[in-house]
Structure formats: C-alpha cells, structure tokens
Amino acid sequence: MGTCKFCGKEDRLISEVLQVCRACILNEDWEIIKPHIFSVHSGVRKLVELPEKPPKAESSSIKLKCNYCINECILSADDVSYCGLRNIQKKNSGELPFPSKSRGYIHGYIDANPTNCCNSWFCPAGTPAGYPKYSDSDSPEYGTYSYAAFLYGCSKNCLFCQNSSHKQFSKRNLFESETLANQIVKNEKITCLCYFGGTPEPQLPFSINLAEQILEKIEKQDKKRKFRICWEWNGTGRRDLVEKCMQIAINTGGNIKFDLKSFNKKLNLALCGISNRRTLENFKFLAENYFGTRGKEMPEMSGCTLMVPGYINHEEVELIANFISEINPEIPYSLLVFHGDYQMRDLPITPKKQAEKCLKTAKKFLKQVHLGNKFLLGFY
Ligand SMILES: [Zn+2]
C-alpha cells in the first residue's frame, strides 16, 4: 500500500518508492512534483552506484564524450556514464574496459523458436510469414533457435525495469565481436538474433558491427542460409545508428521493437527518469521512412507498452495508440502484462480489467493489436 505525498491518497496502485499518484504527476504543480521525482530517481541510482543524471563535464576536464544515446554524457576523470558502461576510473584501473565497436558487454544464449519475443506473433520464427525469402519454413520455425543477445547497460532508469540484471556486469561479460560471430555462425540451427537488454543503445556500434560480421561470414560460407537480425530497444539512440539498425533488420527479414513506455512527458520522467522525446521522434522517423517498404506480410517495426497498474492505463494507451495511428494504423502494437519487479515490486500484476480496457482502446486506433504475456493476467 503506497501513499501519495501530495494528495495523501493511500492505494495499492501507488508505488511505495515513487510516492506520488498518477493524478498528482499529471495535474499538480510540476515545479513541486519534478524535484520530488528527481530525488526518487537519484536515490534509486545511488544504490547501484550510477550517476544521478547524465554527467556534463566542463571543457577543461573532458575525458570522453559519448553520443550514442539521448543522454550525450560528457565525462571527466571521476565520472561514470548514465548507462554505467563507461567508468573512467575503472577503465584506468583495468577493472572495466570501455565497450567499443569490436567488443561489448553481453550475455548471449540460445532460445528455442518460436521464442516469447513480443513480435513472434508476426515474424518468420513464429508464423508462416517471410517464407521462402527470409525463412526456410512455411510454418513456425520449430527445431531452430534464436540467439538472444542481452546487452548490459541502459539509457533509462525505469522503476519497473523487468530486466534489472543489466546493471550488474563485470569484465567477464566483455566479449569480442569476432569470437561471438564465429560461435553464432557455427551453429547452423540459429536462424535469427535479437538484441535486447538493458537496451542496445549504449552499445549500438558494437551491435551493428557484430551483425555485419555474422552476415559477412554467412555470405562467404552459405549464401542460402537465412539469418534475421532484430533489435528490441527503448528508442533513445542516435539517429544515424538507429537508421543503420533498421536497414540491417529490413534486409535480413528482422524487425525493430520500440518500447513506448508512455506518451505523456511527465509520466515518462516519473517512471523512467529521462525524457521520451527522442524515442517518439525515432519511432516516427523510422515508421515514416521504412514501415511498409517490405510489403504487408512482413512489418518492419512495432511498438509495445507495459501496462503498469496505477500509472499506464487506457488513457495513456489511447495517447500512444493515437500517436502510432497518425503515422500508420497498420503498425503492430503489443500491450504487455506487468509483474512487480525492481523498484515496483509492491504493485500488483496488471488486472484483467485494465488489460481488457487497454486492448479495446488500442483497437479503436490500430489494426494490429496483440496482448503479450497473457499468462500473467491477474485478478484482484
Ligand atoms: Zn496524489
């Protein structure tokens, strides 16, 4: 049971860590709410030794400028990047080398197809789509594998993070792209690779390079082999890198999944710690330039939203679905059932009623709407 510091309301749908209800985030004086939200996120980040906000060193002390994501960290000698992957002191001591184009902090494993990926309801691994150009199977690809490429680090600070282990990594998680590419290509049952995390943005150059090395090796060894590459991300990446990923996904028969966590700016800051501006801009840019270029059967990208009880309700879904539909109502959209995790373990699983209402709302705007991880659906 959480209490809102501002209106005094007590409810099991108010996060104990955030201590502010949805109505107050949206309607109360933002000059009062904003510092509270910032202090909550700072406190949470200190616990895991991450900087309170993206560091912006002065010109005389700059050691590194990183511009792979919206945070555009500028580090001085004792700074750590917002994502945690670039720590100048730990780099100098040899404890934590920087990731680069040719090496990244990654946990890779194989997952039987069709996986529980949010896009398996329309991709070649989970459906007959893409046969014969992007898949050798005219049904779901049973007996094949997806290479799950879990990338450490994240450019957001979602209090409900469903994969918070991305914050715990060491030198042992650093792998050369060349070594990984060889391992992946060697297993002929792997038909696709999906980057997720954390989020791929802080290591986009690595993810692109690994993808290109895999494709080059396949091209040399077996031109007929199908190998799709997908990205699942929060959308905060630099425009040219994001576009490069989209092109690789399109050419290989893969797709890109955007986490559209909220549409409202204030709600996004409250739940995720940073702005959603870049995410919405990148989504719009890619959708306007690439969606539909491969034909109707193979959607190039999708959006998805986690239905956080008390915060991401049908009103928020309406704003997101409307945003997507104004670009193109054919873009696939998934609603995901929430389970308590990370700093929001006190919130219940998305109630069935909320999920149904969100689903109904999204369907008013979009033609392809899907409800993911239904098995979690709770009643209370
Ligand atoms: Zn309140």
Side-chain angles (χ1 to χ4, degrees):
M1 183 77 73
T3 308
C4 175
K5 253 182 96 165
F6 301 91
C7 66
K9 192 179 164 194
E10 279 186 32
D11 197 298
R12 67 176 297 199
L13 299 186
I14 296 173
S15 154
E16 284 170 22
V17 168
L18 192 53
Q19 302 167 69
V20 51
C21 72
R22 181 177 190 272
C24 287
I25 294 168
L26 298 180
N27 306 321
E28 279 301 307
D29 184 355
W30 186 239
E31 293 310 311
I32 298 170
I33 304 290
K34 194 181 169 187
H36 166 72
I37 283 170
F38 183 75
S39 84
V40 167
H41 280 270
S42 294
V44 163
R45 293 179 63 79
K46 271 184 201 155
L47 291 175
V48 284
E49 294 174 15
L50 286 171
E52 294 173 32
K53 55 184 179 181
K56 303 283 178 187
E58 299 294 329
S59 58
S60 58
S61 63
I62 294 175
K63 298 290 178 200
L64 176 84
K65 274 188 183 181
C66 174
N67 64 353
Y68 298 151
C69 83
I70 187 175
N71 295 320
E72 300 185 339
C73 293
I74 306 175
L75 310 186
S76 68
D78 46 11
D79 281 330
V80 179
S81 61
Y82 192 81
C83 64
L85 289 165
R86 294 167 182 88
N87 181 323
I88 303 266
Q89 283 180 347
K90 287 189 176 173
K91 172 192 173 262
N92 291 341
S93 70
E95 192 185 331
L96 220 55
F98 280 176
S100 67
K101 199 177 154 184
S102 60
R103 61 184 187 194
Y105 287 95
I106 181 171
H107 171 61
Y109 55 93
I110 57 168
D111 210 358
N113 275 327
T115 69
N116 65 353
C117 163
C118 301
N119 284 351
S120 62
W121 56 289
F122 65 77
C123 91
T127 70
Y131 174 79
K133 193 170 177 190
Y134 302 108
S135 169
D136 291 327
S137 166
D138 59 2
S139 58
E141 286 182 343
Y142 297 113
T144 70
Y145 295 94
S146 168
Y147 188 85
F150 179 91
L151 293 169
Y152 289 90
C154 190
S155 49
K156 290 197 171 183
N157 190 52
C158 303
L159 300 177
F160 51 76
C161 183
Q162 311 265 297
N163 267 331
S164 60
S165 63
H166 75 79
K167 295 171 206 281
Q168 286 137 15
F169 55 89
S170 70
K171 208 171 166 178
R172 281 180 312 165
N173 305 109
L174 189 63
F175 291 93
E176 299 288 330
S177 55
E178 177 74 20
T179 316
L180 289 177
N182 283 329
Q183 278 174 12
I184 294 166
V185 172
K186 213 168 121 187
N187 185 340
E188 288 171 2
K189 295 212 159 160
I190 300 177
T191 57
C192 54
L193 177 149
C194 180
Y195 291 109
F196 67 115
T199 197
E201 281 83 347
Q203 302 194 73
L204 280 182
F206 168 72
S207 71
I208 292 169
N209 185 44
L210 174 59
E212 286 176 339
Q213 284 178 307
I214 292 169
L215 297 173
E216 266 171 42
K217 289 176 197 296
I218 286 177
E219 176 72 21
K220 273 187 205 151
Q221 290 175 17
D222 177 7
K223 278 186 194 307
K224 285 185 185 154
R225 179 168 172 191
K226 314 294 189 300
F227 198 98
R228 301 174 302 273
I229 295 172
C230 300
W231 276 265
E232 182 179 321
W233 61 28
N234 67 24
T236 53
R238 196 175 82 200
R239 176 67 56 86
D240 60 324
L241 298 171
V242 160
E243 192 170 15
K244 180 81 196 158
C245 298
M246 180 86 253
Q247 288 161 352
I248 293 173
I250 288 182
N251 292 337
T252 58
N255 58 62
I256 288 187
K257 193 202 82 174
F258 272 77
D259 265 337
L260 301 172
K261 295 171 199 278
S262 73
F263 185 80
N264 188 288
K265 288 175 195 165
K266 292 175 181 175
L267 212 47
N268 203 83
L269 279 169
L271 297 173
C272 307
I274 68 157
S275 162
N276 59 353
R277 177 181 51 82
R278 174 91 59 97
T279 302
L280 298 176
E281 285 170 3
N282 278 338
F283 185 89
K284 188 167 190 275
F285 172 79
L286 291 185
E288 284 178 346
N289 289 282
Y290 295 97
F291 187 77
T293 54
R294 201 167 49 185
K296 237 184 161 179
E297 297 301 305
M298 292 278 290
E300 296 81 358
M301 59 187 281
S302 69
C304 82
T305 300
L306 186 66
M307 297 175 286
V308 183
Y311 296 93
I312 305 297
N313 62 10
H314 67 283
E315 290 171 31
E316 198 56 32
V317 166
E318 174 159 354
L319 295 173
I320 300 169
N322 180 52
F323 162 74
I324 300 173
S325 75
E326 282 179 353
I327 305 167
N328 192 328
E330 299 283 348
I331 298 172
Y333 181 53
S334 293
L335 288 162
L336 303 178
V337 176
F338 166 97
H339 66 270
D341 211 332
Y342 194 46
Q343 300 295 328
M344 287 189 155
R345 289 179 196 274
D346 54 317
L347 293 183
I349 287 172
T350 309
K352 198 177 175 202
K353 267 192 177 165
Q354 180 188 349
E356 282 169 351
K357 212 163 178 185
C358 289
L359 198 60
K360 204 175 156 190
T361 304
K363 283 181 176 170
K364 279 196 266 177
F365 295 87
L366 300 166
K367 293 183 183 162
Q368 303 196 65
V369 183
H370 184 255
L371 183 62
N373 46 5
K374 273 178 238 175
F375 59 91
L376 287 172
L377 268 190
F379 299 86
Y380 79 96

